[in-house]
Amino acid sequence: MQLTGKCTNSFRSEFRWKNFGFHHNQLDEFYRSQWQSGEKSAWFLLYRWLWALFFVSVFLSCLVLQFSEGKYFIFLTNWGIMLCVITQLLGVVLATRWYFDVNAIRSTACEGAQVKKTPTAVKFYWLLHAISVPLALIITTVYWSFLHGKMNKPNRFPVMSFVTHCLNSVFMLVDFLIVAFPVRLLHAIYAMLLPIVFCCFTVVYYFCGGTDDFGNHYVYPLLDWKVPSRGLLTFAGVFALYCIYCILLYALFKFKRFLHRTFSAVWSPHCVGLI
């Protein structure tokens, strides 16, 4: 009963006006792993570089193979990959600065409550992470549920398609479990702006006579605006999926924190975990 009350209070506390913003006193959480015990970790730095190199490699490979006179940039999948690339590059910059203590960043970040302002780079990283993780899950779900084998065009690069429609989610979920900074439910508002922007883009693209890389007059069959009802239904479904995934990610974040506190108590009874 007490645990239920704590969970309810924690959930309610998310719906405060300040949680629309990106201020957080424990700045070290944006530079460290949830699971490292020391102040810095070479393993976490190596992980950061590997993840960044993976997404950069995927992006460059896709760009070379699927550029198609710029048609590469009309697909939501590729928007997602580009967001993941920027997120991981910014993450590796923050982790590297922390590890080598550039500009005495560790002492500054560990001042805790004395920190009055969250750095712009940290805010931007937090925003990008909040957008890119649910987007990766949406891309994977929609593609394998509704688009795979139904795109009215050949799948020329099946391996790359698997990487961008499956491994993208796997890698971003792993990243979500490793990082230490918090999830804010109200940040889902910013994530949900992306499907609105993309939907508007597909409408404008359609009425401007745009085609996909095989000459079809749509970006995706589900967003063929010759049948507006189908497009609107797709948009509503994606929007609902965003709501579901953002809530599930928040629950997973809370569970991750619970596991960390539990293991910290087992490994070192005097250890104070990240709260």
Side-chain angles (χ1 to χ4, degrees), residues 66 71-80 135 138-139 142-143 146-148 150-153 164-165 198-199 201-202 205-206 210-213 216-227 230-231 234 238:
Q66 305 170 355
K71 297 293 176 68
Y72 172 85
F73 296 101
I74 70 173
F75 298 104
L76 185 62
T77 297
N78 301 331
W79 288 25
L135 177 59
I138 291 290
I139 288 169
V142 173
Y143 177 78
F146 302 103
L147 295 175
H148 181 61
K150 305 171 186 176
M151 290 283 284
N152 194 27
K153 58 183 181 181
T164 57
H165 295 108
F198 184 76
C199 184
F201 163 74
T202 61
Y205 192 73
Y206 170 77
T211 62
D212 68 2
D213 46 341
N216 298 303
H217 287 280
Y218 50 70
V219 177
Y220 292 108
L222 293 174
L223 291 173
D224 184 354
W225 294 104
K226 288 180 181 177
V227 188
R230 182 194 298 169
T234 299
V238 169

Side-chain angles (χ1 to χ4, degrees), residues 3 5 27 42 88 95 102 108 139 161 177 179 189 223 238 244 248 250 262-263:
L3 180 61
L27 291 182
Q88 295 301 325
V102 178
T108 302
I139 288 169
S161 179
L177 293 172
V179 297
I189 299 296
L223 291 173
V238 169
I244 293 170
L248 288 177
Y250 176 76
T262 302
F263 288 137

Side-chain angles (χ1 to χ4, degrees), residues 24-33 36 39 98 105-106 108-112 180-181 274:
H24 189 57
N25 285 332
Q26 293 176 281
L27 291 182
D28 61 307
E29 293 184 352
F30 293 94
Y31 302 92
R32 305 170 69 249
S33 164
Q36 71 184 65
E39 187 178 43
W98 178 269
I105 193 172
R106 289 206 293 267
T108 302
C110 290
E111 289 175 359
F181 55 86
L274 297 171

Side-chain angles (χ1 to χ4, degrees), residues 1-267:
M1 194 70 179
Q2 185 178 4
L3 180 61
T4 304
K6 287 182 178 180
C7 291
T8 302
N9 291 334
S10 177
F11 187 78
R12 286 177 179 173
S13 68
E14 284 297 314
F15 295 94
R16 296 175 181 172
W17 182 257
K18 67 176 184 178
N19 286 337
F20 278 109
F22 293 88
H23 177 72
H24 189 57
N25 285 332
Q26 293 176 281
L27 291 182
D28 61 307
E29 293 184 352
F30 293 94
Y31 302 92
R32 305 170 69 249
S33 164
Q34 176 79 78
W35 308 101
Q36 71 184 65
S37 55
E39 187 178 43
K40 64 178 186 177
S41 168
W43 288 110
F44 179 64
L45 182 64
L46 176 62
Y47 154 78
R48 268 276 164 251
W49 276 98
L50 289 175
W51 253 234
L53 289 173
F54 168 78
F55 279 105
V56 169
S57 300
V58 170
F59 169 67
L60 293 177
S61 300
C62 289
L63 201 59
V64 170
L65 295 173
Q66 305 170 355
F67 185 72
S68 298
E69 298 180 345
K71 297 293 176 68
Y72 172 85
F73 296 101
I74 70 173
F75 298 104
L76 185 62
T77 297
N78 301 331
W79 288 25
I81 292 297
M82 289 186 288
L83 274 173
C84 288
V85 169
I86 299 171
T87 303
Q88 295 301 325
L89 286 177
L90 191 50
V92 81
V93 169
L94 294 178
T96 303
R97 290 187 65 205
W98 178 269
Y99 187 84
F100 293 103
D101 200 20
V102 178
N103 296 328
I105 193 172
R106 289 206 293 267
S107 58
T108 302
C110 290
E111 289 175 359
Q114 297 179 18
V115 176
K116 302 298 182 182
K117 186 177 180 181
T118 304
T120 301
V122 169
K123 290 181 180 181
F124 190 50
Y125 173 60
W126 198 0
L127 171 64
L128 288 175
H129 207 276
I131 295 174
S132 58
V133 175
L135 177 59
L137 296 174
I138 291 290
I139 288 169
T140 298
T141 303
V142 173
Y143 177 78
W144 292 104
S145 299
F146 302 103
L147 295 175
H148 181 61
K150 305 171 186 176
M151 290 283 284
N152 194 27
K153 58 183 181 181
N155 187 353
R156 295 178 296 171
F157 309 105
V159 174
M160 192 57 64
S161 179
F162 177 78
V163 171
T164 57
H165 295 108
C166 183
L167 291 187
N168 62 324
S169 290
V170 173
F171 273 64
M172 290 307 294
L173 269 179
V174 170
D175 192 61
F176 180 85
L177 293 172
I178 288 178
V179 297
F181 55 86
V183 171
R184 294 283 179 254
L185 270 177
L186 293 182
H187 287 178
I189 299 296
Y190 307 114
M192 290 175 185
L193 289 175
L194 191 65
I196 296 174
V197 171
F198 184 76
C199 184
C200 293
F201 163 74
T202 61
V203 172
V204 173
Y205 192 73
Y206 170 77
F207 283 106
C208 288
T211 62
D212 68 2
D213 46 341
F214 279 85
N216 298 303
H217 287 280
Y218 50 70
V219 177
Y220 292 108
L222 293 174
L223 291 173
D224 184 354
W225 294 104
K226 288 180 181 177
V227 188
S229 58
R230 182 194 298 169
L232 291 173
L233 184 61
T234 299
F235 172 74
V238 169
F239 209 79
L241 272 177
Y242 259 99
C243 296
I244 293 170
Y245 277 134
C246 286
I247 292 173
L248 288 177
L249 286 170
Y250 176 76
L252 184 58
F253 156 71
K254 285 296 186 181
F255 181 66
K256 176 183 71 171
R257 286 292 177 92
F258 168 75
L259 284 181
H260 179 263
R261 288 194 298 267
T262 302
F263 288 137
S264 294
V266 170
W267 294 332

